[in-house]
Amino acid sequence: MLTIWRFMDGNRAHEKQSAALVSGVRSCLGAGAVDCRDLSCSEFAVPLWGELPEQLHQLPKPDLIVGVGHRSHWAVLRARRVFGGRSVIILKPSLPLTWFDFVIVPEHDCPPPLPNVILTRGALTEPLPEEPFEPGRALLLFGGPSKHFHWDTAKVSSAADQLLRLPLRWVVSDSRRTPEQMLAHCADSGAELWPWRECPSGWLADQMARAGQIWVTGDSISMIFEALQSRARVGVITLPSRRPRNKIRGAVQRLLDDGLVREWRGGEMTPFPAVPRAPFSQQVSCARALLRRCGWSLAQLPEDIDI
């Protein structure tokens, strides 16, 4: 039995990434071979001394101690010092990388080539739910202005107009950053419109799992990688960069160069193939790299998983 302590900092985006890693470990070893305990970072004081909560001493000793985000770093380090195990930080930490046993970092953050660094392509995301694949169903997802990209309303509107004319069952949704006029622009298209405030929990994952194709604006890098967890063909509406050196634009460009996503360019579009695509399953690749470096047996890894 492999025991994981997963420190939660209250940031949903962070917790989704650590949950994805745990999911990948379970895919490698089998669900029954992994015991994951979720712990709050607030239970640990920041200094590396003082008494620890008594309930922590009652837990099984950890093999892996996982954290994401600055608030988790000292908790992970302190837990490792007191209880043993291997420390694993997801995303580039604010503390030195060498303080942790393993650091899982997106390649666009350009970490140094240290032996404890495991590279990912974008954010880790959990597997999508098992839903029937519907080739004729399509998603269009709007992001918005960000620190990396300018928002080009004319380009996004033109792309939406062209895409929504394709003979597919379109579902369109926005985000907190989306200018208000974008959903209104699609009101006469016949598409099903879902403002982000009205989307129930799990709605987007369910939609992605069913869709035959998904189009996302290029500012939403986490949404692009979540879409790649589906069986859909994925398209990107690129946006103008705020600066010449843009690591998010670089990450999207590598996906385009590798043929994993398609860019909207205007003009006549070649239809996507209707057959499903294999999910990205990056959480399994990352978990397998971690377990291999820890010397954990991978005998139970299904042979059909592509790493």
Side-chain angles (χ1 to χ4, degrees):
M1 177 71 70
L2 184 145
T3 299
I4 300 175
W5 286 11
R6 182 169 76 108
F7 281 97
M8 318 277 279
D9 69 351
N11 183 313
R12 177 58 183 149
H14 290 168
E15 293 171 3
K16 287 174 68 175
Q17 293 212 50
S18 58
L21 180 64
V22 173
S23 172
V25 172
R26 286 181 167 138
S27 294
C28 290
L29 300 179
V34 179
D35 177 17
C36 181
R37 305 300 177 102
D38 293 341
L39 305 170
S40 170
C41 293
S42 60
E43 294 183 14
F44 279 76
V46 170
L48 295 177
W49 54 81
E51 293 296 325
L52 296 176
E54 179 60 30
Q55 63 266 32
L56 295 179
H57 293 274
Q58 309 304 317
L59 295 176
K61 294 296 187 291
D63 297 295
L64 299 175
I65 306 169
V66 178
V68 191
H70 177 75
R71 289 188 60 216
S72 72
H73 296 166
W74 286 112
V76 168
L77 286 172
R78 191 174 187 208
R80 183 189 184 281
R81 191 184 75 166
V82 174
F83 299 103
R86 309 285 187 95
S87 56
V88 183
I89 292 296
I90 303 172
L91 300 181
K92 193 173 183 179
S94 53
L95 299 175
L97 276 68
T98 53
W99 287 17
F100 303 96
D101 292 298
F102 298 100
V103 182
I104 299 171
V105 186
E107 63 180 5
H108 60 250
D109 282 341
C110 301
L114 297 171
N116 66 327
V117 170
I118 298 173
L119 293 178
T120 68
R121 301 190 68 173
L124 292 179
T125 56
E126 295 180 80
L128 297 175
E130 293 289 336
E131 296 288 347
F133 180 70
E134 302 178 31
R137 190 176 188 88
L139 284 177
L140 175 57
L141 304 172
F142 296 130
S146 72
K147 66 180 181 180
H148 297 289
F149 295 95
H150 295 287
W151 183 257
D152 187 336
T153 297
K155 180 176 183 179
V156 176
S157 298
S158 177
D161 290 342
Q162 184 178 13
L163 290 169
L164 295 177
R165 286 195 294 268
L166 296 176
L168 298 165
R169 298 189 302 280
W170 282 97
V171 177
V172 183
S173 188
D174 60 358
S175 70
R176 290 176 177 84
R177 294 184 287 109
T178 307
E180 291 185 4
Q181 70 268 26
M182 288 311 308
L183 273 192
H185 180 82
C186 303
D188 297 329
S189 66
E192 186 180 331
L193 306 184
W194 280 84
W196 67 268
R197 292 183 180 85
E198 299 177 12
C199 296
S201 176
W203 176 87
L204 183 58
D206 178 75
Q207 294 293 320
M208 285 184 169
R210 296 162 60 191
Q213 61 179 272
I214 302 171
W215 286 84
V216 187
T217 54
D219 60 287
S220 302
I221 187 67
S222 60
M223 198 74 69
I224 292 170
F225 277 97
E226 191 167 355
L228 287 170
Q229 287 288 73
S230 74
R231 294 165 290 177
R233 304 291 172 167
V234 179
V236 177
I237 303 168
T238 55
L239 294 171
S241 177
R242 289 188 180 273
R243 58 186 65 88
R245 299 183 65 179
N246 183 335
K247 64 181 183 180
I248 302 301
R249 183 184 63 181
V252 173
Q253 187 60 55
R254 284 190 287 276
L255 294 175
L256 289 165
D257 291 342
D258 291 344
L260 293 171
V261 301
R262 175 190 291 182
E263 180 183 7
W264 179 84
R265 294 179 177 272
E268 187 173 347
M269 294 180 59
T270 304
F272 275 122
V275 295
R277 175 188 53 81
F280 207 33
S281 298
Q282 184 177 216
Q283 79 283 359
V284 177
S285 305
C286 185
R288 182 163 189 173
L290 174 63
L291 294 171
R292 182 187 294 113
R293 295 192 195 190
C294 290
W296 202 268
S297 172
L298 299 175
Q300 297 185 53
L301 182 67
E303 293 181 359
D304 60 347
I305 292 222
D306 182 13
I307 63 165

